[in-house]
Amino acid sequence: MVFRDTLDLDAICKEVIELTNEVGTFILKEKNKFNPSDIKKKGFNDLVSYVDKNSEKKLIKGLQKILPGSGILGEEGGGDFNSKYTWVIDPLDGTTNFIHRLPCFAISIALFKDKTPIIGVVNELNFKECFSAIKGKGAKLNGKKIAVSPQKKLEDSLVATGFPYNDFGLQDEYMLLFKELMKVTQGIRRIGSASVDLCYVATGRFEAFYEYGLKPWDVSGGALIVQEAGGELSDFNGGDNYLFGSSIVATNGHLHKDFLKIVKKYFNGKMNKLQAKK
């Protein structure tokens, strides 16, 4: 497939937002009809339903119309980066929340050119908040520009995280980090959707977010939104492998160095060892 040298990213982003609204309507309709017997397990505490699968099919069909010939990397359907342009999608980020009818959950989509995200869209469906970003053009919430918090002190910051749910190889380190952050911040929240956590950093509701055991579809859309809102990203080692390396730290940038210093106290180098065992 031969692609044009330049794409109208503004028009593509608008179409992606419209698509997530359409698929989001389907997800919300199914929420009240959903039966726990429809749940399937991909692994321990790794749940999937027909809603995830059908939503992904709808998204793939729509995205390939928006950009014919593009590749797909999705949570349910797999895929790779063999195409020049690849969509990385999570059709329902926060499946466990959805199953229990608990906000929040979202559709997360990123468009990559080669292995660099150039569009990110995260549509949190319960509160009708659609976050979006285009590389080099800033980040938005429902069409209005957003920016990270100006807070510069950890003790005045609110932090988000996600608890390991099926990868407990670094559970002890995680709990030690958790305990220290409880003492040096205003508090820690766990809302159950990494893509939304990232967007809440982007719009200044959280000053920082950290988690390990994540996949590219969990973070790709939200990571670009954080960057374009003025935030800073790294993996737990302080490197730039936060999309593919299973760990991410996202902050407003002002306190990234101080926050990462605490994370590295417990995790520095250990993520590499955990990855090597897989």
Side-chain angles (χ1 to χ4, degrees), residues 231-261:
E232 189 171 347
L233 299 161
S234 71
D235 56 38
F236 278 14
N237 296 327
D240 61 2
N241 195 24
Y242 50 84
L243 294 180
F244 305 99
S246 298
S247 70
I248 190 167
V249 173
T251 74
N252 63 357
H254 302 296
L255 46 76
H256 197 90
K257 183 178 179 180
D258 291 339
F259 191 86
L260 184 61
K261 183 179 180 180

Side-chain angles (χ1 to χ4, degrees), residues 11 21 245:
N21 285 333

Side-chain angles (χ1 to χ4, degrees), residues 12-245:
I12 291 173
C13 187
K14 183 178 179 181
E15 290 184 77
V16 174
I17 291 170
E18 291 172 354
L19 177 62
T20 62
N21 285 333
E22 293 172 12
V23 177
T25 298
F26 162 74
I27 291 172
L28 290 174
K29 283 182 178 179
E30 295 302 312
K31 181 178 71 170
N32 294 324
K33 298 189 291 182
F34 187 80
N35 190 313
S37 64
D38 295 318
I39 302 168
K40 295 183 179 179
K41 288 190 175 183
K42 296 184 286 184
F44 179 71
N45 281 344
D46 195 0
L47 309 178
V48 67
S49 73
Y50 72 90
V51 180
D52 301 72
K53 293 182 177 181
N54 288 350
S55 297
E56 184 164 284
K57 289 177 183 177
K58 293 175 185 292
L59 290 173
I60 291 172
K61 183 177 180 181
L63 293 171
Q64 290 182 333
K65 282 184 179 179
I66 293 171
L67 192 57
S70 52
I72 299 288
L73 176 61
E75 179 173 12
E76 308 309 332
D80 51 42
F81 280 91
N82 286 337
S83 177
K84 182 178 181 65
Y85 292 99
T86 302
W87 300 100
V88 178
I89 60 177
D90 191 336
L92 185 51
D93 184 31
T95 297
T96 302
N97 282 353
F98 172 83
I99 288 169
H100 292 274
R101 298 181 176 87
L102 176 70
C104 63
F105 46 82
I107 297 171
S108 178
I109 298 175
L111 177 61
F112 281 68
K113 182 178 181 182
D114 299 318
K115 283 197 173 184
T116 301
I118 56 175
I119 290 176
V121 172
V122 175
N123 197 336
E124 202 296 309
L125 305 175
N126 300 273
F127 303 114
K128 302 187 185 304
E129 291 190 323
C130 189
F131 301 84
S132 62
I134 297 171
K135 189 172 179 60
K137 293 190 174 184
K140 297 179 180 179
L141 166 55
N142 292 340
K144 296 182 179 180
K145 286 274 190 177
I146 57 173
V148 295
S149 161
Q151 185 55 250
K152 296 181 180 180
K153 295 181 179 179
L154 272 177
E155 59 263 35
D156 296 323
S157 299
L158 187 62
V159 175
T161 190
F163 301 137
Y165 61 91
N166 65 2
D167 185 344
F168 305 112
L170 295 174
Q171 185 179 26
D172 292 341
E173 290 84 350
Y174 177 87
M175 294 310 299
L176 289 170
L177 172 59
F178 189 87
K179 287 170 67 176
E180 179 163 349
L181 289 172
M182 286 174 64
K183 298 174 183 178
V184 298
T185 67
Q186 282 192 342
I188 305 174
R189 301 290 183 266
R190 200 272 193 181
I191 60 177
S193 170
S195 64
V196 177
D197 285 321
L198 288 164
C199 290
Y200 284 4
V201 172
T203 199
R205 296 172 187 172
F206 295 137
E207 275 70 38
F209 164 68
Y210 69 99
E211 188 171 352
Y212 81 83
L214 297 172
K215 305 294 184 184
W217 47 79
D218 295 315
V219 298
S220 293
L224 180 63
I225 294 168
V226 169
Q227 284 183 313
E228 290 298 320
E232 189 171 347
L233 299 161
S234 71
D235 56 38
F236 278 14
N237 296 327
D240 61 2
N241 195 24
Y242 50 84
L243 294 180
F244 305 99

Side-chain angles (χ1 to χ4, degrees), residues 262-276:
I262 298 174
V263 174
K264 290 174 73 173
K265 185 190 299 185
Y266 302 101
F267 281 94
N268 197 23
K270 293 184 179 180
M271 291 304 305
N272 297 335
K273 295 177 183 178
L274 191 66
Q275 288 296 105

